Amino acid sequence: MGKNAQTRLTETFNYLDKITAIPSGPYGKFKTAKKTDTAASGRISLGGGHRSTSTPAEKRETQRRHALRGLLLCMDWAGAQAKIPEAKTYCDKKSEATIKEAIQSFFPIKGKVAQDAIIQAKANKITIYGRGIDFKTLHTHSREAIESGKVKLGGACYESVCGWMYLAGITSLKWMMDNGGQPNHAVPPAWNWGQSTSSLDTAAQIPAGRIIRFIRGTGGLHYVISIGNGKCIGNHNTSEICEFWEDGYGPAPTRDGHTSEFSIAGYLATLQARNRATTTPSLRHAPIVPKEPY
């Protein structure tokens, strides 16, 4: 006889409760949303009825199935219900450890801070020639899969900053689905932004661990992460700025689809020197840890 809907959910959460790396706040929201969602229980069913656990191999398979149902429930929570059948097939031969790591990717990791995002930015794991995260690829983009090179994560400047935060464990796959795409020219609402400034002296003093939003006069944006000593790391840097970099600010950024370190004040100074608009180019910055890093 197969499990009833609530039993399946209860057993799944009994398994998930033991994953200690998941912060209690985001996990609590997930559990509240899904602990009695019997419709979701039906979607994450793996079939097969009652399974024996009399041998070590059978016990391992039971645990693996608990993990898989947990992963599928995370997908359901993230709004990717339509991809659950594909994820079942994709994970059919995956180990419990691999699936468990994928579950943790739907949540931040305890204890992760701004410096962890800087480390990820310096590791240069993201390229504009990779693929972004969307509902079609959600179940394949665990942190481990990206860091090991099994899956290539791509995006322009904003998506790269969000990707570094995700790989660092500051945010999650669900957060990436909700906030990981640049909202055109609107100010991304996930952060506590400071006031706009066009001061080169202020730019040079921005501390490490900030997301910076350069505003190119009346049009154009660029996002980077500050790393200390007046420098930042950015991806998909504007070709014009790289070519006409102002003297006195150290090496120019690397253009196009390459990540590089460069002077924050230098980028702003070059924007201002090349400006052909009526509004002076400026920047805003915010702590890289967003307001709600779920």
Side-chain angles (χ1 to χ4, degrees):
M1 180 182 295
K3 301 177 190 295
N4 68 42
Q6 189 56 58
T7 297
R8 186 180 299 111
L9 289 172
T10 299
E11 290 183 356
T12 300
F13 277 110
N14 285 342
Y15 179 88
L16 294 171
D17 288 346
K18 297 180 176 67
I19 303 178
T20 57
I22 298 175
S24 59
Y27 181 69
K29 292 180 180 180
F30 164 60
K31 190 170 184 178
T32 297
K34 290 296 173 183
K35 65 182 179 180
T36 59
D37 188 344
T38 54
S41 179
R43 290 189 287 270
I44 70 172
S45 174
L46 301 178
H50 176 74
R51 301 180 66 86
S52 171
T53 57
S54 59
T55 69
E58 289 170 342
K59 289 179 181 178
R60 286 193 297 271
E61 177 59 12
T62 295
Q63 289 297 102
R64 195 192 73 83
R65 288 166 67 89
H66 283 322
L68 180 50
R69 281 189 288 267
L71 175 61
L72 300 177
L73 194 58
C74 289
M75 292 179 63
D76 195 277
W77 179 51
Q81 293 93 342
K83 301 307 293 183
I84 285 176
E86 184 177 320
K88 290 178 183 180
T89 300
Y90 179 80
C91 294
D92 183 53
K93 302 300 181 184
K94 302 292 185 186
S95 69
E96 180 194 355
T98 297
I99 297 170
K100 187 175 179 180
E101 197 281 329
I103 290 169
Q104 293 179 87
S105 294
F106 279 84
F107 300 92
I109 299 173
K110 283 183 180 177
K112 295 300 181 178
V113 294
Q115 183 60 34
D116 294 295
I118 294 172
I119 291 169
Q120 286 295 335
K122 290 183 176 182
N124 193 17
K125 296 287 186 180
I126 299 175
T127 169
I128 64 168
Y129 304 112
R131 298 178 65 186
I133 296 174
D134 60 29
F135 284 129
K136 295 179 181 178
T137 59
L138 183 65
H139 55 286
T140 69
H141 278 69
S142 71
R143 295 186 184 98
E144 186 279 330
I146 296 166
E147 290 179 349
S148 66
K150 298 171 188 172
V151 173
K152 293 190 180 300
L153 179 61
C157 58
Y158 176 86
E159 292 80 8
S160 294
V161 171
C162 291
W164 294 328
M165 293 163 57
Y166 165 58
L167 293 178
I170 289 174
T171 58
S172 65
L173 260 182
K174 188 175 188 308
W175 188 96
M176 288 286 284
M177 296 303 306
D178 293 341
N179 301 283
Q182 184 177 334
N184 296 318
H185 285 274
V187 178
W191 292 272
N192 287 310
W193 293 96
Q195 295 298 310
S196 176
T197 180
S198 58
S199 166
L200 300 180
D201 288 340
T202 299
Q205 296 171 25
I206 293 175
R210 314 282 289 190
I211 178 174
I212 299 173
R213 184 179 193 262
F214 289 104
I215 303 112
R216 186 198 305 271
T218 56
L221 299 166
H222 192 45
Y223 292 88
V224 299
I225 180 173
S226 62
I227 61 173
N229 296 319
K231 291 185 176 182
C232 61
I233 293 181
N235 187 15
H236 200 211
N237 302 302
T238 308
S239 296
E240 180 186 28
I241 301 302
C242 300
E243 182 177 354
F244 295 100
W245 186 252
E246 287 288 292
D247 292 336
Y249 290 98
T254 304
R255 68 179 63 200
D256 300 326
H258 300 283
T259 303
S260 58
E261 299 182 16
F262 49 91
S263 164
I264 300 169
Y267 196 94
L268 184 58
T270 307
L271 280 178
Q272 293 175 354
R274 298 294 297 171
N275 185 44
R276 292 181 289 275
T278 57
T279 304
T280 302
S282 59
L283 63 79
R284 297 177 71 177
H285 59 95
I288 194 69
V289 179
K291 290 182 285 188
E292 190 176 3
Y294 53 81

